[in-house]
Amino acid sequence: MNTLRLTPQDAPQAADIIAQGGLVAFPTETVYGLGANGLDPAAVAAIFAAKGRPQDNPLILHIPSAGHLERYCQNIPPAAYALARRFWPGPLTMILPRREVVPDVVTAGLDTVGMRCPNHPAALELLELCQLPVAAPSANTSGRPSPTTAQAVLEDMDGKIRAVVDGGPCQVGVESTIVDLTVSPPRLLRPGGVTLEELREAIGPVEVDEAVLRLMSTDEKPRAPGMKYRHYAPKAPVTVVRGDPAATARYIAQHLAPGVGVICFEDYVNLYPGCPLRSLGPQGDRAEQARRLFEALRWFDTQGGVAAIYAQSPDSDGLGLAVTNRLNKAAGFHIIDL
Ligand code: AMP
Ligand code: MG
């Protein structure tokens, strides 16, 4: 299949492809999504095939406004509307009870469905034109870091999907926050662009699912099925070094060897001359760390001979909870605490 390179101006063509059951990768504020008609089981099955995604990992449905929630969800609690008013369009996914119209293949047979309204002009225009819920996971091969540019999408999806809409680099850089509103208190299943602090300010107590903070073993049954899978990982094993930034920078400098790659804050790049290295930006700039993380993880796969990667861990306040969650998952929770 020849994968078309489209621009946001080609939104009508992209919407037609989706209406016909095809796959289109498109930009959102978080990462690039791989979209299909979420009411068409065959189109949704094609997403799983293109990504090599396990069948029991459900997808998020994307809609152009909260006004579309009632079409696909029922028994919607007031907290959902409060969150939508405050954070939509934006990087927040809400888990809600689904209606029958949502196919099993989208929800992996669950009686709930993840709903999101993305804050990106190209995505919103596409969703308005489709007038369909667009099922869209991140547009990467399952297990790899999520794509934050059209180029990264093509690395994984060229020849496998009908089109990619190039909207430039993503502004947030990590996937949406997922909050389950079908339990009381609501539960954070995945940290993302909307912070835990912001959620609690908007709706009161929110619990953090333990899978956010630690590795789930394969025989555990997590709330969000995707939580148990290895994620975001480059080919070389990653070791996260956690603690005071000056100390973690020094620790990594002491463990350099041929074939060791480094992910560090801008403040410390001079400690690693000649090493394959990606900077996450200044140690105090969590938004920049989120924007850069996936590109950094992907970059090591394009370099020959990187056998191991050491990464400085950001702190986990605010957006840092999302950044550290993705980094720790990329490392299989292989973490050294100083
Ligand atoms: P991705 O689309 O690759 O960002 O992954 C979507 C994430 O949303 C996965 O981790 C899913 O497990 C999670 N998810 C989607 N729908 C549900 C649901 N109904 N209940 C719990 N988690 C969900
Ligand atoms: Mg994903």
Side-chain angles (χ1 to χ4, degrees):
M1 185 185 308
N2 174 36
T3 300
L4 296 170
R5 275 69 164 164
L6 302 180
T7 71
Q9 284 69 46
D10 303 318
Q13 193 180 349
D16 279 347
I17 295 172
I18 287 178
Q20 293 158 14
L23 303 186
V24 177
F26 62 97
T28 78
E29 81 281 34
T30 59
V31 302
Y32 275 72
L34 181 55
N37 176 358
L39 299 181
D40 175 348
V44 174
I47 294 180
F48 284 87
K51 284 180 62 84
R53 183 176 175 105
Q55 301 284 340
D56 64 350
N57 192 1
L59 305 179
I60 294 167
L61 289 182
H62 293 70
I63 53 176
S65 73
H68 288 226
L69 274 178
E70 305 268 351
R71 302 181 189 185
Y72 314 114
C73 306
Q74 54 192 333
N75 303 324
I76 302 172
Y81 292 105
L83 289 173
R85 267 195 304 279
R86 172 114 181 237
F87 298 112
W88 278 7
L92 178 68
T93 297
M94 300 192 255
I95 305 297
L96 293 164
R98 72 154 157 169
R99 285 192 190 277
E100 294 239 322
V101 62
V102 179
D104 276 342
V105 60
V106 169
T107 67
L110 299 173
D111 53 11
T112 57
V113 61
M115 302 296 303
R116 173 162 122 84
C117 174
N119 186 19
H120 190 292
L124 287 170
E125 190 187 355
L126 182 63
L127 294 172
E128 281 290 356
L129 287 170
C130 287
Q131 286 296 309
L132 289 165
V134 173
S138 51
N140 51 285
T141 300
S142 201
R144 295 204 72 212
S146 302
T148 54
T149 61
Q151 190 50 46
V153 171
L154 288 167
E155 279 169 23
D156 289 9
M157 293 296 156
D158 201 6
K160 296 185 178 170
I161 62 176
R162 292 279 306 278
V164 56
V165 177
D166 189 345
C170 298
Q171 284 303 304
V172 176
V174 291
E175 303 87 341
S176 60
T177 302
I178 302 181
V179 62
D180 185 350
L181 296 178
T182 67
V183 293
S184 182
R187 179 178 284 258
L188 180 75
L189 300 184
R190 178 172 76 183
V194 170
T195 66
L196 180 60
E197 294 87 339
E198 289 173 316
L199 286 179
R200 286 176 171 157
E201 205 183 298
I203 55 168
V206 174
E207 273 179 13
V208 178
D209 197 278
E210 53 189 338
V212 170
L213 304 169
R214 68 175 179 85
L215 189 62
M216 306 284 290
S217 65
T218 42
D219 50 354
E220 284 177 282
K221 198 174 185 323
R223 279 291 304 174
M227 289 172 158
K228 70 176 180 240
Y229 293 110
R230 182 166 181 266
H231 249 107
Y232 316 121
K235 293 186 186 107
V238 179
T239 301
V240 174
V241 190
R242 196 158 60 181
D244 170 66
T248 60
R250 232 178 6 255
Y251 178 93
I252 294 172
Q254 286 159 358
H255 289 77
L256 295 182
V260 169
V262 175
I263 297 175
C264 69
F265 302 123
E266 193 67 38
D267 318 55
Y268 302 104
V269 291
N270 292 334
L271 290 183
Y272 317 105
C275 284
L277 180 145
R278 291 277 97 180
S279 161
L280 289 179
Q283 69 186 35
D285 189 344
R286 298 187 190 99
E288 188 64 17
Q289 291 154 20
R291 270 192 292 274
R292 290 196 193 189
L293 179 67
F294 285 137
E295 191 280 331
L297 290 169
R298 278 179 170 267
W299 180 81
F300 289 97
D301 285 350
T302 68
Q303 307 296 301
V306 178
I309 300 167
Y310 281 97
Q312 277 193 288
S313 180
D315 71 51
S316 56
D317 291 342
L319 198 48
L321 188 63
V323 179
T324 53
N325 170 260
R326 303 310 189 276
L327 186 57
N328 292 345
K329 284 190 157 210
F333 284 83
H334 184 234
I335 302 169
I336 293 173
D337 278 304
L338 297 184

